[in-house]
Amino acid sequence: MSSNKKYWKSVEELDGNSSIVEALKNNEFVEEIPTNEFLGNNDALSSSSTTRRDFLKYVGFSTAAATLAACEGPVHKSIPYVLQPEQIIPGVADYYATSVFDGFDFANLLVKTREGRPIKIDNNTIAGAKFSANARVHASILSLYDSLRLKEPKIAGTNASWADVNSKIASSIVEAKAKGGQVVLLTNTLASPSTEKLIAEFIAKNPNAKHVVYDAVSSSEALDAFETVYGERALVDYDFSKASLIVSVGADFLGDWQGGGYDAGYAQGRIPKNGKMSRHFQLEANMTLSGAAADKRLPMSTANQKQALVHIYNILTGSSVAVNLAPEFKAEVTKAAQQLKAAGSKGVLVSGIQDKNAQLLVLAINQKLASEAFTTSGTRQIRKGSNEKVAQLINEMKAGSVHTLIMSGVNPVYTLADSASFVEGLKKVTTSVAFSLKEDETASVTTIAAPVPHYLESWNDLMLTKGTYSLTQPTIRPLFNTKQFQDVLLSLNGNAGTFYDYIKVTATSIIAGSTWNKVLHDGVYVGVVPTASAGSADYTAAATVLSSSKAAEAFELVLYTKTGLGDGQQANNPWLQEFPDPITRVSWDNYVTVSNVDAKKLGLTNEIVANGGLNGSYATITTTEGAKLENVPVIVQPGQAVGTVGMALGYGRKAALKEEMVVGLNAYALYKGFNNVQSVTLVKADGEHEFACVQGQKTLMGRGDIIKETTLEIFNTKDAKEWNEVPMVSLDHKEVESTKVDLWDSFDRSIGHHFNLSIDLNACTGCGACVIACHAENNVPVVGKSEVRRSRDMHWLRIDRYYSSESTFEGDNERKENIAGLSSSLSTFNEMEKAGDNPQVAFQPVMCQHCNHAPCETVCPVAATSHGRQGQNNMAYNRCVGTRYCANNCPYKVRRFNWFLYSQNSEFDYHMNDDLGRMVLNPDVNVRSRGVMEKCSMCLQMTQATILKAKREGRAIVDGEFQTACSNACSTGAMVFGDVNDADAKVAQLATDDRMYHLLEHVGTKPNVIYHVKVRNI
């Protein structure tokens, strides 16, 4: 049987009481076009005798009011090379292998450069390059061209030379020795063998110096637990591809848990093969990407998660530690534990609970299972911070014992919960230095602000996991007067060489059997991967302590990092600010998420208003220790555990940001003791907040066959026609399959290339890397919060998030029809509404479907949109006059209209409004002017470049060479692009798979984007 669930995109749609929501479904444009501004007095028009010419003039104005300036596009003149560099061929891209680690995000990359400018991030797919770029890493290319970067070193707020900076730091260190004061290096986790060696040499030369590692978002408890058992301060690098059963207790491993990067391995087990796929239990408070992907999700507070972890430990090890687990969870947790025990080495348990005892139980459970996914070889080196040492440093600063403080890669004035104590201590430090990209909150209050180059301008080496080695190389000369922290350390150590030379010397002892040039070319090197040997710990004692955990008195606040902004380092990046959160679909904001039950108790609401925007209440959050955030916007979040609230870190920054980027509230103020769980009170505040939420926009006009899903049991036992039902239409008064009916005669598509894009709903985690990659490749403009709120976002690719209830439409109708009396009515509707308490979630990327029978093409009066022989629906922007007929006729709502000129316009002060920011633009794709339609081109420029390259080299194109920006960025393999006329191509095989279907098949548009039915292992 096919799925007949009720799908809904927002709480307002589920309630079904809003006439506004229903009206928005049926309106293409949510705001009325202001024709009166152009036509003058309406009364005069109605009283006059209107001719056919006048009527057409009126219609023309109403449909193209914003296109009057389209024919007056700006003229840009090219400036040729005076002396062309020999190594650069104009029009041909160069790629450089590099790696990035900024203390939070990390990846192995290929950087695309054009005429010496880095313009796009791609994933390095060579053997050994295991970490792909997330949305933030893809967006980091734009941060290189941030016009508010720190451009010159400053001493006491005044521009200075590097010679003055080096001299002042050196003299301060000498003075500290003479006075018996401490010299402290405060850095983020470095994961760099060369930098760590440099610091060790510095400390050896200065015995009064020490190194403190500080991670803004801490993993200290997991590090402490692993160090206790294995003697190494590191994190386990789980391999989810080896697990048939995954139990996660508060770990968003598809998000930022332990740095992320687990989605590729996870997706391998989620695609049904030979009738099998992995099963996933998720226990969590906030709705996360991992919870959205889970087969069974239990929304519960962290206090209940701790009890559940002890209960699982008891069942797997035979222990009998007393557990106080809520009855409504015990049966499901028992079931998960029993299945985990049965899975044995094919099972794995992970946890994000920030408690050393909880992390010790994780190690004990995986040891008991002998889990293949849990491996102590190749441990992650990307988190080394110690909460205890950071707290000790602050006390020493306040006591006046720290003479010189040198900081690199940290911003404690912004990220510390008690930043006031840090600032108080900083005033007692004689010399403070901040090596930073920006004059951020910390750099603006230190003695010296030292600008560092972006990673794309730098040399570095990295050991992201033990046994691997990767290099960071510059792809452009430094744009400003910057210097690396390591070069200054070399100078302080009396070493006259460069950090590049230093790395080469370090590498010789690591890259045995390889060469410097090969590692530099490949970007990565894999050597001998050592295994950490396990010690012992008193796991029963840890379980006993954990079982005594109690629930928060009022609400439990769970702090997390958003897919878009992460820890907040790139807060001035407009791509990330406008990136809609995968779960809430809100951009340009952080907020507190509240369950529907708690929202009703507190009188907190969300509503969609007449212009299509989402409005919400404000609340005041106060911790039990007195920290307070006032006027926090509220999102009523389906799936939020009752009694808990969530809030994202990384927002609320003010220093070195454009005015438009100063959004949200600083939740680090509530991150007391580096604990992401706090006991708080929540009180409704006055006023109403206006969100920029895209979830209620660009709906598919109420059409039903959008998401198709089934269960693994039905998938294995039923015929495909039952779980992947083909819509039937009437032809000559007979019911026939819609896929066998054509509205027009088709031409022969078997000659040459014909492109298809396959999207597997089982593998898509909603991470959004594809969205940012599309921005970078196709020069998609940023329009700002106000325009997004008006349904005018310009994203060529959106990832729709759908919730689904457990019941079908038919089941809902039967229950409503069988209601008898008032009491029955109240109880029945109350139970039906509980679908919103813990819904299932599905993500669906939607872009132009490149229909072979495209509705947009038939209505364009100037033939601006037309079909190419290779399957792409093309746009000739110069022909477009902005009638928007095509957008109205598109059933997928994927076409965007340029209401304004977004480039070089002070009204849109983002990266396209300054010369530096425009350096990121791809010269292969024109920047669209005002008054035209734009949409996904299936990266036509990329496919043509591949064809031309193969033609020039006189060879056939190999499967996998054809790529789009989105398929290239997808680390899970959910998106596969290729030529369906190549019988051996992967996309051709996927196009004939039983799970394949087209979006809105009954419309008969014959899209070239194909989807695969989502299968749940429930």
Side-chain angles (χ1 to χ4, degrees):
M1 60 180 285
S2 62
S3 170
N4 193 26
K5 290 184 177 180
K6 179 180 180 180
Y7 295 99
W8 39 286
K9 298 176 84 178
S10 62
V11 175
E12 295 75 27
E13 186 176 341
L14 175 66
D15 290 343
N17 297 324
S18 174
S19 59
I20 291 175
V21 173
E22 192 60 33
L24 289 171
K25 280 185 180 181
N26 300 305
N27 289 346
E28 179 201 357
F29 304 112
V30 296
E31 290 185 286
E32 189 175 343
I33 306 301
T35 55
N36 289 343
E37 294 179 15
F38 298 92
L39 296 177
N41 191 312
N42 229 7
D43 295 334
L45 278 174
S46 60
S47 62
S48 64
S49 57
T50 306
T51 65
R52 180 174 180 274
R53 181 186 294 272
D54 293 330
F55 172 75
L56 291 176
K57 181 171 67 174
Y58 188 95
V59 172
F61 273 122
S62 65
T63 55
T67 67
L68 297 180
C71 57
E72 299 178 4
V75 176
H76 301 286
K77 295 182 179 179
S78 298
I79 302 174
Y81 283 115
V82 178
L83 292 173
Q84 180 183 324
E86 293 181 6
Q87 66 272 27
I88 292 178
I89 303 174
V92 177
D94 291 314
Y95 290 84
Y96 295 89
T98 190
S99 294
V100 58
F101 177 58
D102 62 7
F104 191 73
D105 293 313
F106 51 92
N108 304 118
L109 310 173
L110 286 178
V111 181
K112 179 182 179 181
T113 66
R114 282 292 302 270
E115 289 76 57
R117 292 180 296 117
I119 61 169
K120 188 170 180 288
I121 298 293
D122 287 332
N123 293 320
N124 189 347
T125 56
I126 199 168
K130 62 184 294 185
F131 296 117
S132 298
N134 60 21
R136 295 185 296 271
V137 173
H138 278 287
S140 65
I141 192 90
L142 184 57
S143 294
L144 167 67
Y145 302 114
D146 187 344
S147 60
L148 295 184
R149 280 178 56 187
L150 185 57
K151 300 174 178 65
E152 297 279 347
K154 292 184 177 182
I155 298 177
T158 305
N159 288 349
S161 68
W162 276 106
D164 292 339
V165 168
N166 289 344
S167 174
K168 188 166 183 65
I169 296 174
S171 61
S172 181
I173 292 170
V174 171
E175 186 180 325
K177 278 184 182 178
K179 293 184 176 180
Q182 282 192 64
V183 176
V184 179
L185 300 179
L186 178 64
T187 73
N188 57 353
T189 299
L190 298 166
S192 167
S194 294
T195 309
E196 288 169 357
K197 183 181 173 188
L198 257 179
I199 289 175
E201 291 171 359
F202 177 83
I203 293 173
K205 187 175 180 180
N206 303 282
N208 61 327
K210 69 175 182 178
H211 180 208
V212 177
V213 180
Y214 165 50
D215 294 323
V217 180
S218 175
S219 297
S220 192
E221 289 78 9
L223 292 165
D224 293 342
F226 192 85
E227 190 173 20
T228 298
V229 178
Y230 292 92
E232 177 189 354
R233 195 164 184 79
L235 297 171
V236 178
D237 188 31
Y238 293 89
D239 185 353
F240 289 102
S241 68
K242 296 179 179 178
S244 62
L245 185 73
I246 301 163
V247 177
S248 170
V249 184
D252 183 16
F253 58 86
L254 295 180
D256 293 330
W257 176 75
Q258 292 197 175
Y262 294 112
D263 47 355
Y266 174 81
Q268 288 181 39
R270 298 297 290 169
I271 299 174
K273 296 175 184 175
N274 302 319
K276 294 181 180 179
M277 62 179 284
S278 63
R279 195 166 192 210
H280 174 191
F281 286 90
Q282 184 79 13
L283 286 60
E284 63 182 12
N286 299 340
M287 175 67 83
T288 66
L289 290 180
S290 302
D295 296 303
K296 184 67 179 180
R297 179 181 180 271
L298 296 178
M300 59 171 67
S301 66
T302 305
N304 272 318
Q305 290 173 34
K306 291 178 179 179
Q307 299 294 334
L309 191 58
V310 176
H311 188 54
I312 294 171
Y313 171 78
N314 283 344
I315 292 175
L316 263 70
T317 63
S319 301
S320 55
V321 178
V323 175
N324 184 26
L325 182 62
E328 62 266 28
F329 300 126
K330 195 161 189 176
E332 291 294 343
V333 173
T334 301
K335 187 189 299 183
Q338 290 170 343
Q339 290 186 22
L340 191 61
K341 187 174 184 178
S345 64
K346 291 295 182 181
V348 67
L349 180 139
V350 295
S351 178
I353 299 173
Q354 293 190 1
D355 186 299
K356 182 179 177 181
N357 293 310
Q359 296 300 326
L360 284 172
L361 292 193
V362 172
L363 300 178
I365 290 168
N366 285 308
Q367 285 176 350
K368 181 68 176 177
L369 292 169
S371 172
E372 294 176 20
F374 173 89
T375 171
T376 59
S377 61
T379 51
R380 291 192 171 196
Q381 306 294 304
I382 45 85
R383 297 288 186 271
K384 297 279 187 177
S386 170
N387 298 346
E388 184 181 346
K389 290 182 179 178
V390 172
Q392 181 185 344
L393 170 63
I394 294 172
N395 289 332
E396 290 170 350
M397 289 168 61
K398 290 168 71 176
S401 59
V402 177
H403 181 280
T404 305
L405 177 65
I406 303 174
M407 294 173 282
S408 174
V410 295
N411 186 8
V413 174
Y414 165 66
T415 57
L416 279 174
D418 190 10
S419 63
S421 291
F422 184 86
V423 173
E424 179 188 341
L426 199 61
K427 291 176 181 176
K428 298 181 180 180
V429 174
T430 304
T431 304
S432 56
V433 187
F435 286 86
S436 175
L437 270 171
K438 311 284 288 290
E439 194 171 4
D440 56 26
E441 289 79 359
T442 301
S444 59
V445 295
T446 53
T447 311
I448 300 173
V452 296
H454 191 269
Y455 77 89
L456 292 171
E457 304 168 312
S458 311
W459 284 102
N460 205 355
D461 61 355
L462 298 171
M463 190 172 285
L464 300 175
T465 58
K466 209 163 189 181
T468 65
Y469 185 72
S470 52
L471 291 174
T472 300
Q473 64 171 313
T475 58
I476 189 174
R477 288 180 63 109
L479 297 172
F480 307 114
N481 184 19
T482 56
K483 187 172 285 192
Q484 286 188 240
F485 167 63
Q486 294 91 337
D487 281 316
V488 175
L489 270 183
L490 279 168
S491 176
L492 295 174
N493 287 348
N495 191 327
T498 65
F499 188 48
Y500 167 77
D501 298 324
Y502 193 89
I503 292 172
K504 287 189 74 172
V505 173
T506 305
T508 55
S509 61
I510 298 175
I511 57 173
S514 188
T515 64
W516 169 263
N517 285 342
K518 178 170 174 52
V519 176
L520 187 61
H521 173 272
D522 295 349
V524 294
Y525 166 83
V526 180
V528 178
V529 182
T531 302
S533 54
S536 60
D538 192 344
Y539 297 125
T540 303
T544 302
V545 173
L546 201 65
S547 68
S548 63
S549 302
K550 295 181 180 179
E553 294 179 7
F555 282 98
E556 178 185 281
L557 170 67
V558 181
L559 298 167
Y560 67 98
T561 54
K562 260 195 182 189
T563 306
L565 277 198
D567 64 350
Q569 289 186 53
Q570 297 190 75
N572 202 42
N573 192 312
W575 286 350
L576 294 177
Q577 289 283 12
E578 194 149 295
F579 173 75
D581 181 77
I583 300 295
T584 64
R585 308 290 285 136
V586 173
S587 61
W588 293 101
D589 253 320
N590 68 336
Y591 33 78
V592 58
T593 55
V594 184
S595 71
N596 192 41
V597 171
D598 292 326
K600 287 183 176 179
K601 288 179 182 177
L602 297 171
L604 303 170
T605 60
N606 285 153
E607 64 171 341
I608 294 179
V609 294
N611 70 349
L614 179 71
N615 289 3
S617 303
Y618 283 113
T620 296
I621 303 175
T622 309
T623 68
T624 53
E625 297 183 358
K628 180 186 287 189
L629 278 184
E630 296 181 336
N631 294 328
V632 184
V634 173
I635 287 287
V636 180
Q637 176 61 56
Q640 183 77 33
V642 176
T644 72
V645 295
M647 191 171 181
L649 302 165
Y651 286 79
R653 288 190 58 183
K654 293 181 173 61
L657 265 66
K658 287 188 176 183
E659 183 181 351
E660 292 81 358
M661 310 295 173
V662 181
V663 296
L665 296 161
N666 185 6
Y668 281 112
L670 307 177
Y671 193 36
K672 186 71 175 177
F674 299 97
N675 192 341
N676 71 326
V677 178
Q678 301 287 332
S679 180
V680 301
T681 58
L682 197 70
V683 179
K684 183 178 181 179
D686 294 334
E688 195 172 58
H689 185 76
E690 295 184 346
F691 289 102
C693 179
V694 301
Q695 185 59 28
Q697 303 169 4
K698 301 180 178 66
T699 70
L700 303 191
M701 302 298 195
R703 297 177 173 97
D705 53 335
I706 300 167
I707 294 282
K708 286 190 180 183
E709 63 175 359
T710 187
T711 65
L712 184 62
E713 181 184 0
I714 293 173
F715 176 77
N716 287 333
T717 57
K718 303 289 185 181
D719 188 82
K721 288 185 178 181
E722 294 193 41
W723 49 263
N724 188 9
E725 188 177 358
V726 179
M728 306 297 286
V729 296
S730 177
L731 178 66
D732 295 332
H733 307 289
K734 295 180 182 178
E735 289 285 304
V736 297
E737 293 181 350
S738 62
T739 53
K740 295 179 180 178
V741 178
D742 284 341
L743 295 177
W744 300 278
D745 292 334
S746 297
F747 59 82
D748 184 5
R749 302 191 187 98
S750 63
I751 301 171
H753 304 293
H754 191 82
F755 298 116
N756 270 199
L757 175 64
S758 170
I759 301 174
D760 195 323
L761 300 182
N762 262 50
C764 179
T765 63
C767 72
C770 54
V771 175
I772 302 298
C774 178
H775 267 60
E777 176 66 30
N778 295 297
N779 301 336
V780 176
V782 173
V783 300
K785 180 177 180 178
S786 177
E787 291 297 294
V788 171
R789 182 172 165 80
R790 288 183 170 90
S791 306
R792 294 175 180 174
D793 70 280
M794 296 300 293
H795 295 103
W796 283 13
L797 162 63
R798 71 177 192 264
I799 303 180
D800 287 338
R801 181 267 299 127
Y802 290 96
Y803 297 130
S804 58
S805 62
E806 298 295 335
S807 56
T808 64
F809 282 121
E810 294 163 358
D812 287 347
N813 290 334
E814 287 177 10
R815 291 191 69 180
K816 284 188 285 186
E817 288 170 3
N818 292 330
I819 291 174
L822 178 61
S823 59
S824 174
S825 172
L826 293 174
S827 61
T828 301
F829 278 113
N830 184 50
E831 288 174 14
M832 292 177 72
E833 197 173 62
K834 288 182 180 177
D837 293 343
N838 186 27
Q840 291 182 335
V841 185
F843 296 108
Q844 185 174 54
V846 182
M847 66 293 290
C848 174
Q849 301 293 291
H850 295 273
C851 312
N852 288 316
H853 293 167
C856 57
E857 296 169 10
T858 58
V859 295
C860 182
V862 292
T865 180
S866 58
H867 210 66
R869 179 166 285 279
Q870 294 173 348
Q872 289 130 321
N873 174 254
N874 301 323
M875 274 296 302
Y877 296 120
N878 282 2
R879 294 186 63 89
C880 180
V881 296
T883 63
R884 296 174 296 168
Y885 296 157
C886 55
N888 192 42
N889 216 36
C890 174
Y892 308 103
K893 301 301 150 195
V894 289
R895 303 179 75 89
R896 305 287 178 262
F897 181 65
N898 284 79
W899 289 90
F900 299 98
L901 178 66
Y902 300 111
S903 177
Q904 301 185 62
N905 185 345
S906 59
E907 293 295 320
F908 300 91
D909 191 18
Y910 308 108
H911 71 287
M912 287 189 185
N913 195 40
D914 60 71
D915 291 336
L916 190 63
R918 285 194 298 276
M919 285 180 69
V920 81
L921 296 177
N922 182 0
D924 291 333
V925 180
N926 68 324
V927 177
R928 282 75 63 186
S929 188
R930 178 186 180 184
V932 301
M933 298 300 305
E934 60 177 84
K935 51 91 196 175
C936 163
S937 66
M938 210 176 260
C939 292
L940 181 68
Q941 70 282 358
M942 293 179 68
T943 56
Q944 295 309 301
T946 301
I947 292 169
L948 291 173
K949 181 182 178 184
K951 187 176 182 179
R952 187 172 59 248
E953 296 173 0
R955 60 174 178 80
I957 295 172
V958 179
D959 183 38
E961 276 193 89
F962 283 125
Q963 291 289 348
T964 59
C966 55
S967 66
N968 226 353
C970 185
S971 59
T972 64
M975 290 183 171
V976 177
F977 181 76
D979 181 3
V980 288
N981 285 344
D982 178 2
D984 297 326
K986 185 176 181 181
V987 76
Q989 296 163 13
L990 291 169
T992 59
D993 190 273
D994 284 345
R995 286 201 296 135
M996 189 280 288
Y997 75 99
H998 293 110
L999 196 59
L1000 304 182
E1001 275 178 322
H1002 66 276
V1003 179
T1005 55
K1006 309 288 183 183
N1008 283 314
V1009 178
I1010 61 178
Y1011 293 85
H1012 285 74
V1013 174
K1014 187 173 181 68
V1015 181
R1016 297 186 188 272
N1017 191 0
I1018 56 176

